[in-house]
């Protein structure tokens, strides 16, 4: 299972606001036929799924600003693809929470 952090920045839009573009990308994620989970954050989107599915969704996410008038798009992707054991967004957060609980005992 891969976990990817994706940041998409539309450029050449005539405005400093990008919320309309973010909303369109969120629609793409919500309608994705692939078996993914995702979480939008204030600065990026986290996607969890099989690597092939994640990459297919990221491709559509990248194309979305072009479909809504952007002249240029900068997409940054960080992929955590652990193969020695099954991982998930929830598992990663729980591992950190466990460490914090252990430190406070």
């Amino acid at each position: 299972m891969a976990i990817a952090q994706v940041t998409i920045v539309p450029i050449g839009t005539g405005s400093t606001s990008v919320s309309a573009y973010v909303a369109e990308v969120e629609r793409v994620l919500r309608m994705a036929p692939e078996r993914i989970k995702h979480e939008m954050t204030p600065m990026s989107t986290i996607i969890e799924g099989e690597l092939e599915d994640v990459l297919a969704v990221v491709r559509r996410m990248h194309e979305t600003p072009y479909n809504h008038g952007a002249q240029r798009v900068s997409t940054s992707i960080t992929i955590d693809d652990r193969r020695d054991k099954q991982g998930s967004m929830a598992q990663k957060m729980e591992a950190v929470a466990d460490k914090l609980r252990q430190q406070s005992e």
Side-chain angles (χ1 to χ4, degrees):
M1 181 91 47
I3 301 170
Q5 175 178 293
V6 182
T7 303
I8 298 174
V9 180
I11 302 168
T13 64
S15 172
T16 56
S17 177
V18 296
S19 59
Y21 293 94
V22 172
E24 291 301 325
V25 169
E26 177 66 16
R27 280 189 190 84
V28 167
L29 286 162
R30 289 181 180 185
M31 295 172 49
E34 293 84 1
R35 294 181 48 165
I36 60 161
K37 293 182 183 177
H38 77 280
E39 181 179 327
M40 184 174 48
T41 76
M43 298 296 293
S44 65
T45 299
I46 312 299
I47 306 169
E48 171 186 301
E50 295 302 323
L51 183 58
E52 184 175 308
D53 291 339
V54 169
L55 293 173
V57 170
V58 169
R59 171 66 188 231
R60 288 196 308 278
M61 292 168 66
H62 176 79
E63 292 295 326
T64 298
Y66 288 117
N67 298 334
H68 292 87
Q71 299 298 306
R72 184 176 181 183
V73 177
S74 175
T75 298
S76 300
I77 308 166
T78 304
I79 299 172
D80 180 356
D81 186 17
R82 188 168 180 175
R83 306 238 172 131
D84 63 331
K85 70 177 192 176
Q86 189 77 349
S88 68
M89 292 184 285
Q91 175 269 325
K92 289 173 74 91
M93 297 303 292
E94 186 58 34
V96 172
D98 285 345
K99 301 294 186 291
L100 290 169
R101 282 191 290 274
Q102 291 170 6
Q103 290 173 356
S104 66
E105 293 175 350

